Amino acid sequence: MFVNYILSKIQNIFKTIYDKSFVLQKIDWFIGASIFLLIFFSTYAPSDNIGGFALLTILLTAVKILTKPKEKFVLSTGDKFLLVYFLLVLVSLAGSSLFYLSLKGFFKTLTYLGFYISFIHYLKDNKRMVKYILLALAICAVGESFVAIHQNFLSVSEISGWQDVTRLNPEEVMTRVYGTLKPYNPNLFGGYMLALLPATLVAIFLPLKNKHYKTALLGTIGFIITALAIILTGCRGAYIGLFLELVLLGFFTYRMLKPFYRKIFRFFTTIITAIAFFIVVTLPSLRARVFSIFAFRGDSSNSFRFNVYNSCLQMFKDNWILGIGCGNQNFREIYGLYMRTGFDALSAYNIYLETAIESGIFALLAFLAFMYSNISKAVKYITKRCNIKSIYLTITVVSLAGILIHGFVDTVFFRPQIQFVFWIMIGIIRVIL
């Protein structure tokens, strides 16, 4: 590869400096620290600060690649699809009628992709750090869960209209928690916790593998309270994602078990499912929230989304090849030409539709191909083997499935808190396989 040839020439120039520099030889430590800071600061810092840690990670990785001998770029099949996606986003930017607004969105996309590249370059030399990264995400999940439970007991008031209460009795109105994530929004919080929930499994599966049953019990408690926090958000998209995550988790776990333990697993799964159904049916606020998913136009939030989808489909039809350019500001300006009166929106409320609108149908297909290439390889590995790699891959696949199914009805996916978790999970798959 021509890029790696040029890179080797640059590395030869800095070879003497690298050999004598303690900092350059220990730069992975600084990169790792910036990744962990990004993970922990994501729980309460503004988006700009989170992006600052991502840029620091990218800068340190660039220094590493340019100075460390034999460091090079290797593209997997999935990475090639991602490269095509990026090039199509670049073409969409060049053709955007609102170039400067689109440029802001492009820089965000560039930051996310740069972080992904930096993360896999860090992880390929530090694979032992996978469990610690997942553990850091699990700690964030459990910490935010306690905040959510506290907010529920305080019956925190809504900052804006987060649910349709016009047809609800007082006992059916749900207190929707939002954690410490900024901006405060239960849908963002629900999507974030949905992405983190599988990470808590690292504190269950690894201790069980090493027969540390007390530690596994603590991990199980962490998993349960994180799932409870998702329920307390009242985010219906997160409910759908949670259901899918639990089904996938049950499927993968069942395949890993020995025949004797499969019978026990089926027994406890049946009991837990019955208890969950009983809770949904008997709690008025939760029942009303879950059943509103199936109300279609009967729920104002659902109806609002349908109206936005209709307008966005018209946007897509008029810009289906190259899209309108990246970014929510760019989206809002052009959406105003298509929206139905009284139905202003910040996004398309569907990440696939929004990607197609912003960058065109071919960019969407390239992104989906990138996702399929990584997830399909991970699933094949999980179903054939039972080892530590399978545990890590199960966590990543379940997390990505939750994120992507939630993306059908919301676009909080594009918020940095969820976006960076997404690229971390993809990066783990990329490096392990």
Side-chain angles (χ1 to χ4, degrees):
M1 185 186 291
F2 179 71
V3 173
N4 287 327
Y5 173 77
I6 298 297
L7 197 57
S8 66
K9 295 296 184 182
I10 297 173
Q11 289 165 356
N12 287 334
I13 296 173
F14 290 103
K15 185 177 186 304
T16 303
I17 298 174
Y18 180 86
D19 291 339
K20 295 180 179 180
S21 174
F22 173 81
V23 173
L24 289 178
Q25 292 182 23
K26 298 295 182 180
I27 198 167
D28 272 356
W29 189 93
F30 296 100
I31 296 172
S34 66
I35 291 171
F36 280 99
L37 286 172
L38 181 148
I39 289 172
F40 288 116
F41 271 80
S42 292
T43 57
Y44 67 90
S47 297
D48 290 344
N49 292 355
I50 301 170
F53 287 112
L55 291 174
L56 176 61
T57 304
I58 294 168
L59 177 62
L60 291 171
T61 303
V63 172
K64 173 186 174 181
I65 291 173
L66 292 173
T67 60
K68 184 177 180 180
K70 297 182 180 180
E71 195 69 26
K72 61 182 180 180
F73 290 101
V74 178
L75 293 178
S76 67
T77 302
D79 291 340
K80 292 175 183 177
F81 287 121
L82 187 62
L83 178 60
V84 172
Y85 166 77
F86 173 73
L87 293 175
L88 289 170
V89 169
L90 192 60
V91 172
S92 176
L93 167 67
S96 176
S97 59
L98 297 173
F99 179 80
Y100 290 106
L101 286 180
S102 183
L103 188 62
K104 294 180 180 179
F106 173 77
F107 282 136
K108 291 180 181 178
T109 301
L110 190 61
T111 300
Y112 293 139
L113 296 182
F115 176 80
Y116 166 72
I117 294 170
S118 301
F119 183 73
I120 60 177
H121 270 273
Y122 168 76
L123 214 57
K124 70 182 178 63
D125 297 325
N126 300 275
K127 291 183 181 180
R128 71 187 188 283
M129 296 302 294
V130 170
K131 67 178 178 180
Y132 298 110
I133 290 170
L134 292 174
L135 184 60
L137 294 172
I139 291 171
C140 291
V142 174
E144 285 295 318
S145 296
F146 283 116
V147 173
I149 293 169
H150 179 64
Q151 288 177 341
N152 182 69
F153 280 119
L154 290 178
S155 297
V156 290
S157 58
E158 294 183 359
I159 297 175
S160 60
W162 287 338
Q163 59 184 319
D164 182 7
V165 298
T166 55
R167 300 183 181 183
L168 298 179
N169 296 323
E171 68 273 10
E172 294 178 322
V173 178
M174 188 175 197
T175 298
R176 300 189 63 187
V177 302
Y178 45 81
T180 63
L181 272 63
K182 292 181 176 64
Y184 297 135
N185 184 317
N187 288 346
L188 169 60
F189 186 62
Y192 176 72
M193 297 300 283
L194 188 67
L196 294 189
L197 175 66
T200 61
L201 297 172
V202 76
I204 302 175
F205 288 157
L206 291 186
L208 283 177
K209 188 174 180 62
N210 297 319
K211 297 183 179 180
H212 297 157
Y213 300 115
K214 291 182 180 179
T215 305
L217 178 60
L218 291 175
T220 303
I221 294 172
F223 179 86
I224 292 171
I225 66 169
T226 303
L228 175 61
I230 294 172
I231 294 170
L232 294 177
T233 65
C235 176
R236 296 170 299 173
Y239 288 175
I240 298 171
L242 176 61
F243 176 77
L244 176 63
E245 285 190 351
L246 294 177
V247 169
L248 283 176
L249 177 60
F251 173 74
F252 290 141
T253 303
Y254 184 80
R255 288 189 64 90
M256 293 180 188
L257 294 175
K258 295 179 180 179
F260 172 75
Y261 292 107
R262 287 182 178 182
K263 295 179 180 179
I264 299 174
F265 182 79
R266 286 198 300 268
F267 174 75
F268 279 105
T269 300
T270 303
I271 292 176
I272 292 170
T273 302
I275 293 173
F277 181 78
F278 177 78
I279 291 173
V280 170
V281 171
T282 54
L283 290 179
S285 59
L286 182 59
R287 181 179 66 241
R289 196 67 187 155
V290 171
F291 287 0
S292 69
I293 296 173
F294 310 101
F296 299 103
R297 287 283 185 178
D299 180 85
S300 64
S301 179
N302 295 349
S303 185
F304 177 86
R305 278 171 166 74
F306 290 138
N307 288 326
V308 173
Y309 293 155
N310 289 335
S311 298
C312 288
L313 285 171
Q314 291 301 317
M315 291 175 66
F316 170 66
K317 289 178 182 179
D318 291 344
N319 304 275
W320 69 276
I321 298 179
L322 296 179
I324 63 173
C326 287
N328 64 305
Q329 293 181 350
N330 187 47
F331 174 90
R332 289 205 68 187
E333 289 292 328
I334 296 179
Y335 174 78
L337 303 174
Y338 293 86
M339 76 173 190
R340 291 182 58 179
T341 303
F343 292 95
D344 191 13
L346 299 175
S347 63
Y349 289 98
N350 181 298
I351 63 174
Y352 310 101
L353 181 55
E354 180 137 346
T355 300
I357 289 170
E358 290 186 357
S359 304
I361 185 64
F362 299 110
L364 173 62
L365 292 175
F367 181 76
L368 292 176
F370 164 71
M371 291 300 306
Y372 176 78
S373 175
N374 285 282
I375 293 177
S376 62
K377 287 193 297 184
V379 171
K380 288 178 182 177
Y381 188 97
I382 295 167
T383 53
K384 291 181 180 179
R385 299 171 181 84
C386 182
N387 51 33
I388 292 178
K389 285 185 179 181
S390 296
I391 292 172
Y392 294 150
L393 292 173
T394 296
I395 290 170
T396 56
V397 168
V398 172
S399 175
L400 291 169
I403 293 171
L404 294 175
I405 199 70
H406 185 212
F408 273 102
V409 293
D410 214 326
T411 39
V412 292
F413 168 79
F414 295 109
R415 300 296 305 179
Q417 293 92 338
I418 299 175
Q419 188 79 188
F420 286 120
V421 175
F422 170 82
W423 290 111
I424 285 172
M425 294 301 182
I426 285 288
I428 291 172
I429 293 176
R430 167 69 172 77
V431 172
I432 286 181
L433 293 178

